[in-house]
Amino acid sequence: MNATDPQPGPARPHTGRRRNEAAHRAILDAALRLLAESDGTPVTIDAIARTAGVGKQTVYRWWPSKGAVLLDALSDRADQDVAGPDTGDLRADLRAFVATTFDAARRDTSASALRALVREAARDPHLADLMQTFTATRRAALRELLTRGRERGQLPEGADLDLIVDQVYGVFWYRFLLGHAPLDADAADRLAESLVTGAR
């Protein structure tokens, strides 16, 4: 290259990954918001793409269906909101898990989205499958926490972990859907204490 040849410009930063991450996040946020605001109106891929500011093909690049997007959006929000600590103290870990689960369900978007999903799942088999998958992932996260406690000897070897999981989510869904009592920190503390003490 001689002195008169044009000099190469500075290397441009690679922004494709950042754009992809931003689009992915926008789609998840849009899906959750639309579900929360749906009021019985079906959420569509078109609506999700339009709200996220992307094309439909961008959505289909990552998810095969509307249900897959909604499942990812709900699971992603739950992973963000619900603590899954491993402090070595089962009582403290269970209390944190239950408290953050209860707290997340009191937030407007999460609560509205969950209620919409429950309502729609009653008449849409595809969404009923989605609901089952979502609840199974949350149950698995709690069961893993309990398994660690049992392995450390903080629960008896014969403790029925599935029954403990049922009790946590039984209280959660009963109070969430019927609203007869609060899902607050005090309820979370009392439930965690009762379950650990009872299992012993």
Side-chain angles (χ1 to χ4, degrees):
M1 178 183 294
N2 61 46
T4 61
D5 289 333
Q7 298 297 307
R12 295 177 61 187
H14 180 65
T15 59
R17 183 174 178 81
R18 287 200 299 275
R19 280 200 300 269
N20 284 345
E21 289 171 352
H24 192 272
R25 168 54 47 200
I27 292 166
L28 291 177
D29 289 345
L32 194 67
R33 186 165 74 251
L34 287 170
L35 184 59
E37 297 170 353
S38 64
D39 195 27
T41 304
V43 176
T44 65
I45 289 286
D46 280 337
I48 293 170
R50 187 168 56 252
T51 303
V54 301
K56 278 202 314 185
Q57 288 311 309
T58 300
V59 180
Y60 282 121
R61 183 184 309 154
W62 290 308
W63 296 279
S65 67
K66 171 189 75 174
V69 185
L70 294 176
L71 174 60
D72 246 14
L74 287 165
S75 299
D76 175 74
R77 180 56 58 89
D79 287 341
Q80 289 181 56
D81 290 346
V82 178
D86 185 7
T87 66
D89 180 346
L90 173 63
R91 185 177 274 100
D93 290 349
L94 182 58
R95 184 180 293 121
F97 186 98
V98 176
T100 52
T101 297
F102 285 8
D103 182 64
R106 297 202 309 270
R107 298 178 191 174
D108 288 345
T109 300
S110 298
S112 297
L114 277 178
R115 286 196 174 91
L117 185 58
V118 170
R119 184 174 59 244
E120 293 306 304
R123 56 178 180 256
D124 184 332
H126 179 64
L127 289 183
D129 288 343
L130 166 64
M131 187 70 183
Q132 280 201 328
T133 302
F134 173 69
T135 55
T137 63
R138 304 318 307 158
R139 289 177 58 85
L142 177 53
R143 199 180 194 286
E144 182 180 341
L145 184 153
L146 296 170
T147 299
R148 291 196 300 265
R150 187 170 63 183
E151 289 170 350
R152 291 191 297 258
Q154 296 170 334
L155 285 175
E157 189 60 34
D160 188 337
L161 302 189
D162 289 318
L163 182 59
I164 296 173
V165 172
D166 283 344
Q167 289 173 296
V168 170
Y169 283 110
V171 170
F172 169 78
W173 285 109
Y174 193 74
R175 291 191 176 200
F176 179 73
L177 293 175
L178 299 184
H180 77 288
L183 288 167
D184 56 16
D186 179 60
D189 286 348
R190 288 185 288 111
L191 178 58
E193 183 66 32
S194 171
L195 291 173
V196 174
T197 301
R200 288 183 178 279

